[in-house]
């Protein structure tokens, strides 16, 4: 199926993601748009997703009207492509990548995270020389896979100081009409291990959204001291929290439990606090998994999970059971941490569905929420809940008959619209 067809006066962006000003914030009508309308049941099981064609009107970055299809009007022809919420990558490092530069795979490394800190201290000055350009190229890769928003961690530490943040902000300014972000001030080299404190305090006064962290015990040798500093900095500047936690042993569990305790003491941080990776959850026995998942859900602490592979199986179904906000992202794409990375969070949803046996029509359709940061066209009972008038005009048009097929086949993204702007 071909991509969407444009009519005169309705301009699309170029493949680079740059926009023609004449298309921004105009009223636009999309016809022949396929939307999900409900489920079909047989013996109590969802066996099919019903869809219909509609016209969708967009203006000033919002969806303003959804009406019965009229294929005869002058409008952008979606050609029966399925409209889904635009994808969101909720854990990525746009500030440090080899993508867009010369190819290189990772090299053998030793010393764990501290060994990687030593490597970064060596290579970051060179990486920073063209990090703005590479960040823009990585954004374009994400866009090509249907992603229009990312939560990016950005290094704040004594080696790059605030330069990594400033370089990334230049790239984001260049892409502001076609891509949305939230930023995490990330002390990759530890809060105290390399004395990142003054730089974090300065970054907290800048245009960032979260205060980050990494392995408080392994890197800084002090769970409570590091968590307390992070929480206080976030509270002082009305920021959220997103902490990398790779530790799988006792220290990892203690970090999770202490963070839960402190968030419960500071309710302003509920719904604004996340643990990235949190691999210790995959090492707990079933009873402890249930206990911690319930506490995370009650504290409204989210998990931004690496989709599991190999021997590590994260308890994502258990987290869902206790209403924990679970999201995902590509993390590293072609850098000194990881050679792999396609840029597709739809692929992550597919991998989750395979790993946990989510192979039915209903469960495949539910798996889409991993790619969209929990936005689904239909609720669990098959009632329409997206799109509706007033929603942000952030959506993709994919070559699929329904959400379940899109996840199962990792269907191709034919068009991306961000804030009403047609990116491609």
């Amino acid at each position: 199926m071909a991509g969407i067809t444009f009519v005169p006066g309705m301009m699309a962006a170029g493949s680079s993601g740059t926009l023609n000003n004449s298309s921004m914030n105009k009223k636009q009508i999309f016809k022949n748009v396929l939307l999900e309308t409900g489920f079909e049941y047989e013996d109590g099981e969802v066996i099919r997703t019903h869809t219909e064609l509609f016209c969708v009107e967009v203006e000033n970055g919002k969806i303003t009207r959804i009406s019965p299809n009229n294929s005869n009007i002058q409008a952008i022809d979606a050609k029966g492509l399925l409209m889904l919420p635009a994808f969101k990558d909720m854990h990525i490092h746009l500030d440090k990548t080899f993508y867009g530069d010369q190819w290189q795979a990772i090299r053998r490394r030793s010393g764990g995270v501290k060994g990687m800190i030593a490597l970064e201290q060596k290579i970051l000055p060179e990486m920073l020389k063209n990090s703005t350009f590479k960040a823009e190229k990585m954004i374009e890769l994400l866009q090509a896979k249907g992603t229009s928003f990312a939560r990016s961690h950005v290094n704040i530490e004594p080696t790059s100081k605030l330069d990594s943040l400033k370089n990334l902000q230049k790239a984001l300014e260049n892409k502001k009409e076609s891509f949305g972000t939230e930023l995490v001030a990330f002390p990759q080299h530890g809060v105290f291990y390399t004395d990142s404190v003054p730089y974090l305090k300065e970054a907290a006064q800048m245009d960032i959204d979260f205060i980050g962290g990494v392995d408080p015990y392994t890197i800084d040798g002090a769970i409570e001291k590091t968590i307390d500093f992070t929480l206080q900095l976030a509270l002082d500047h009305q920021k959220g929290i997103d902490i990398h936690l790779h530790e799988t042993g006792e220290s990892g569990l203690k970090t999770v439990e202490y963070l839960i305790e402190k968030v419960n003491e500071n309710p302003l941080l509920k719904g604004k606090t996340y643990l990235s990776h949190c691999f210790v959850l995959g090492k707990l026995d079933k009873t402890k998994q249930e206990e911690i998942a319930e506490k995370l859900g009650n504290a409204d602490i989210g998990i931004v999970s690496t989709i599991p592979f190999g021997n590590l199986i994260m308890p994502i179904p258990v987290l869902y059971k206790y209403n924990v906000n679970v999201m995902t992202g590509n993390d590293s794409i072609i850098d000194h941490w990881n050679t792999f990375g396609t840029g597709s969070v739809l692929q992550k949803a597919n991998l989750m569905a395979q790993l946990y046996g989510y192979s039915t029509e209903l469960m495949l359709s539910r798996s889409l929420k991993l790619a969209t940061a929990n936005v689904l066209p239909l609720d669990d009972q098959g009632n329409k809940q997206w799109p509706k008038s007033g929603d942000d005009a952030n959506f993709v048009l994919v070559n699929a008959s329904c959400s379940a097929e899109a996840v199962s086949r990792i269907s191709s993204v034919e068009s991306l619209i961000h804030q009403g702007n047609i990116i491609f």
Side-chain angles (χ1 to χ4, degrees):
M1 193 178 291
I4 62 176
T5 299
F6 306 97
V7 300
M10 296 182 175
M11 303 297 293
S15 60
S16 66
T18 56
L19 292 158
N20 184 315
N21 288 333
S22 66
S23 71
M24 292 165 51
N25 297 323
K26 289 184 61 173
K27 178 178 180 179
Q28 301 185 97
I29 302 174
F30 296 78
K31 65 181 181 181
N32 299 321
V33 176
L34 192 66
L35 294 177
E36 297 181 343
T37 58
F39 292 137
E40 179 180 338
Y41 294 84
E42 184 177 286
D43 297 327
E45 179 183 5
V46 176
I47 61 167
R48 189 170 293 107
T49 303
H50 288 301
T51 56
E52 295 178 28
L53 294 175
F54 291 86
C55 286
V56 177
E57 297 182 23
V58 169
E59 189 171 9
N60 296 324
K62 299 287 185 179
I63 294 171
T64 55
R65 186 168 181 246
I66 301 162
S67 57
N69 193 49
N70 183 349
S71 60
N72 296 319
I73 62 172
Q74 186 181 45
I76 300 168
D77 189 357
K79 296 187 175 180
L81 293 167
L82 178 68
M83 178 175 165
L84 295 176
F87 305 147
K88 293 185 176 183
D89 188 307
M90 300 306 291
H91 186 108
I92 198 167
H93 298 261
L94 293 172
D95 63 317
K96 52 183 184 182
T97 181
F98 299 146
Y99 188 80
D101 208 335
Q102 289 185 335
W103 158 259
Q104 52 184 306
I106 63 169
R107 301 177 185 180
R108 275 186 247 171
R109 53 196 180 187
S110 60
V113 176
K114 285 187 175 180
M116 291 301 292
I117 290 172
L119 173 61
E120 284 205 356
Q121 289 169 329
K122 179 180 178 181
I123 67 175
L124 277 176
E126 186 66 27
M127 292 182 73
L128 284 169
K129 290 179 181 178
N130 64 345
S131 63
T132 296
F133 168 79
K134 290 181 292 185
E136 291 186 27
K137 299 305 290 184
M138 189 142 69
I139 288 170
E140 291 165 16
L141 171 66
L142 298 180
Q143 290 174 319
K145 302 295 186 177
T147 292
S148 74
F149 184 93
R151 178 185 297 173
S152 178
H153 298 256
V154 54
N155 267 41
I156 305 291
E157 25 69 19
T159 299
S160 53
K161 300 181 173 63
L162 299 179
D163 289 344
S164 193
L165 173 59
K166 292 174 181 177
N167 288 0
L168 178 56
Q169 287 176 326
K170 292 176 186 176
L172 299 180
E173 176 65 22
N174 293 338
K175 298 292 188 182
K176 66 181 181 181
E177 300 295 345
S178 65
F179 196 77
T181 51
E182 53 192 22
L183 298 180
V184 184
F186 178 46
Q188 174 75 82
H189 302 172
V191 174
F192 303 108
Y193 181 63
T194 62
D195 193 16
S196 298
V197 169
Y199 305 104
L200 286 168
K201 288 182 174 179
E202 189 173 353
Q205 301 176 58
M206 299 173 68
D207 189 18
I208 61 107
D209 305 280
F210 295 84
I211 306 300
V214 58
D215 296 341
Y217 180 78
T218 301
I219 303 303
D220 289 321
I223 295 171
E224 295 184 2
K225 179 183 177 182
T226 305
I227 294 293
D228 288 349
F229 169 82
T230 304
L231 264 69
Q232 194 59 55
L233 189 61
L235 289 167
D236 289 346
H237 296 277
Q238 296 81 53
K239 309 296 184 183
I241 293 169
D242 192 333
I243 297 174
H244 287 59
L245 185 62
H246 307 97
E247 299 169 12
T248 57
E250 182 181 0
S251 63
L253 179 58
K254 285 185 176 180
T255 299
V256 174
E257 292 178 325
Y258 188 68
L259 183 62
I260 291 170
E261 174 187 333
K262 300 307 289 186
V263 168
N264 284 330
E265 291 175 6
N266 298 276
L268 285 174
L269 292 173
K270 289 191 173 186
K272 298 173 61 179
T273 300
Y274 298 85
L275 283 164
S276 286
H277 308 312
C278 204
F279 293 141
V280 66
L281 295 177
K283 293 292 188 177
L284 302 176
D285 63 46
K286 186 70 162 60
T287 301
K288 194 66 176 180
Q289 281 182 350
E290 297 259 352
E291 175 192 330
I292 296 300
E294 185 174 17
K295 289 180 178 179
L296 288 168
N298 290 337
D300 203 1
I301 296 174
I303 299 295
V304 190
S305 176
T306 301
I307 299 306
F309 57 91
N311 294 324
L312 183 65
I313 304 298
M314 291 289 286
I316 291 178
V318 177
L319 295 172
Y320 281 151
K321 176 182 175 181
Y322 290 100
N323 298 313
V324 177
N325 183 9
V326 179
M327 300 186 293
T328 195
N330 279 279
D331 197 359
S332 303
I333 296 180
I334 318 300
D335 62 12
H336 51 290
W337 290 84
N338 178 28
T339 300
F340 305 101
T342 66
S344 171
V345 287
L346 185 60
Q347 182 189 46
K348 301 287 186 182
N350 170 279
L351 180 56
M352 181 185 74
Q354 291 191 60
L355 285 168
Y356 300 112
Y358 294 166
S359 57
T360 64
E361 181 82 3
L362 177 63
M363 294 309 295
L364 282 167
S365 74
R366 303 303 84 189
S367 298
L368 178 71
K369 66 184 179 182
L370 200 67
T372 63
N374 299 310
V375 181
L376 290 174
L378 303 176
D379 67 17
D380 291 351
Q381 289 71 46
N383 301 308
K384 292 188 293 182
Q385 60 182 8
W386 181 95
K388 59 184 182 296
S389 180
D391 286 343
D392 289 337
N394 299 328
F395 55 91
V396 290
L397 297 173
V398 301
N399 188 1
S401 64
C402 60
S403 296
E405 182 182 10
V407 171
S408 178
R409 296 185 172 179
I410 317 178
S411 299
S412 62
V413 176
E414 304 295 333
S415 184
L416 170 66
I417 289 81
H418 176 72
Q419 296 296 300
N421 298 314
I422 302 170
I423 311 308
F424 65 89

